[in-house]
Amino acid sequence: MLGGPSGEREVSLQSGAAVADALRGLGHRVSEIDPVDKEFRLPQNTDIVFLALHGTYGEDGTVQAKLDALGVPYTGCGEAVSRLAFDKVAAKQACAGRGITTANDCVVDDPGAGLPGGLELPLVLKPVCQGSSIGLEFVESAAAWPSGLAKSLEGGGRVLVEERIEGREVTVGIVGGQPLPVIEITPKRGAYDYANKYTAGATEYTCPAAFDTEATRRIQCAGEQALFAVGGGNCARVDF
């Protein structure tokens, strides 16, 4: 299942096509389904749905609930875990409940809101329920706050405002309860935004990342704890 109605449709079409080609290369019978209008009909005798959807509808528990109702198995986490993990505020609260440290934050939904008190500049703004860094904005000064907030709100609904943490960006995958090697993400220019994620050659990925054994294990353990915090599942990717 690929494409779909979200703002990440074009990326999903590309990744879904790559998955379909790989599965056919392994000898599987594959049908490509694009729920562009949020509706779909699966071929008879479908064994499993490989979810290559990105963003809203595909990652927020919506399509998972539809497939559960049909009794058709699918890849990835279930409806409840997907819904919780896709909501940045709810996911942060769940992680805090397991002692995972996250940046200081607040939530804003008013376009006319002033600079939040109690948070130190610079700030990072992200729509609460979006993926692929859609609506990601950096606010370095009070003067930049109004425009940054307006742009982030265009991503839809509420905006999560966090104090920016400077450091190395990494991600760790977890499959079947086992953490994979840590990957370091290094954009060649600017932040790891939508363009740098999906423009070939714009970002370097180092696997395994150059951390010592202790730091690597701490990152992997934090990833496992984050997955447990949102309800568990058989596979996930956790970013730091």
Side-chain angles (χ1 to χ4, degrees):
M1 194 172 289
L2 73 172
S6 82
E8 302 173 61
R9 172 177 171 78
E10 293 305 316
V11 174
S12 174
L13 288 170
Q14 294 176 38
S15 59
V19 169
D21 287 345
L23 290 172
R24 290 189 181 103
L26 293 171
H28 296 288
R29 178 172 52 86
V30 180
S31 299
E32 296 177 38
I33 307 296
D34 180 0
V36 63
D37 57 359
K38 300 186 180 182
E39 298 297 333
F40 58 86
R41 178 175 295 178
L42 298 178
Q44 286 188 333
N45 302 318
T46 295
D47 295 315
I48 189 169
V49 174
F50 192 112
L51 289 176
L53 296 169
H54 292 238
T56 54
Y57 182 80
E59 293 184 281
D60 62 5
T62 303
V63 76
Q64 289 82 0
K66 289 177 179 287
L67 292 170
D68 285 339
L70 293 172
V72 178
Y74 51 88
T75 58
C77 297
E79 181 267 335
V81 174
S82 298
R83 175 166 35 83
L84 176 56
F86 197 73
D87 183 317
K88 296 180 179 68
V89 174
K92 284 193 69 169
Q93 292 171 345
C95 287
R98 294 192 70 94
I100 300 171
T101 303
T102 64
N104 295 327
D105 70 82
C106 70
V107 178
V108 176
D109 59 7
D110 179 4
L115 188 68
L119 296 183
E120 296 185 5
L121 293 166
L123 302 173
V124 182
L125 283 61
K126 310 170 190 173
V128 171
C129 292
Q130 278 287 4
S132 289
S133 299
I134 291 176
L136 173 68
E137 293 291 329
F138 296 96
V139 172
E140 304 288 343
S141 66
W145 166 257
S147 62
L149 176 61
K151 291 177 182 177
S152 194
L153 282 169
E154 290 175 1
R158 302 172 296 159
V159 166
L160 175 65
V161 183
E162 297 176 296
E163 292 180 347
R164 183 171 184 175
I165 298 174
E166 299 289 350
R168 297 163 68 181
E169 188 156 0
V170 299
T171 188
V172 58
I174 301 170
V175 178
Q178 297 298 316
L180 302 179
V182 177
I183 301 172
E184 184 164 7
I185 301 167
T186 311
K188 293 181 179 178
R189 181 178 300 176
Y192 192 50
D193 56 13
Y194 188 92
N196 280 329
K197 285 183 177 182
Y198 299 119
T199 301
T203 298
E204 294 181 351
Y205 301 91
T206 305
C207 181
F211 292 101
D212 60 31
T213 301
E214 180 183 355
T216 296
R217 187 56 193 150
R218 285 177 60 195
I219 294 168
Q220 291 174 323
C221 285
E224 292 174 300
Q225 288 298 309
L227 179 56
F228 294 149
V230 297
N234 57 12
C235 64
R237 192 196 75 241
V238 185
D239 302 330
F240 298 92

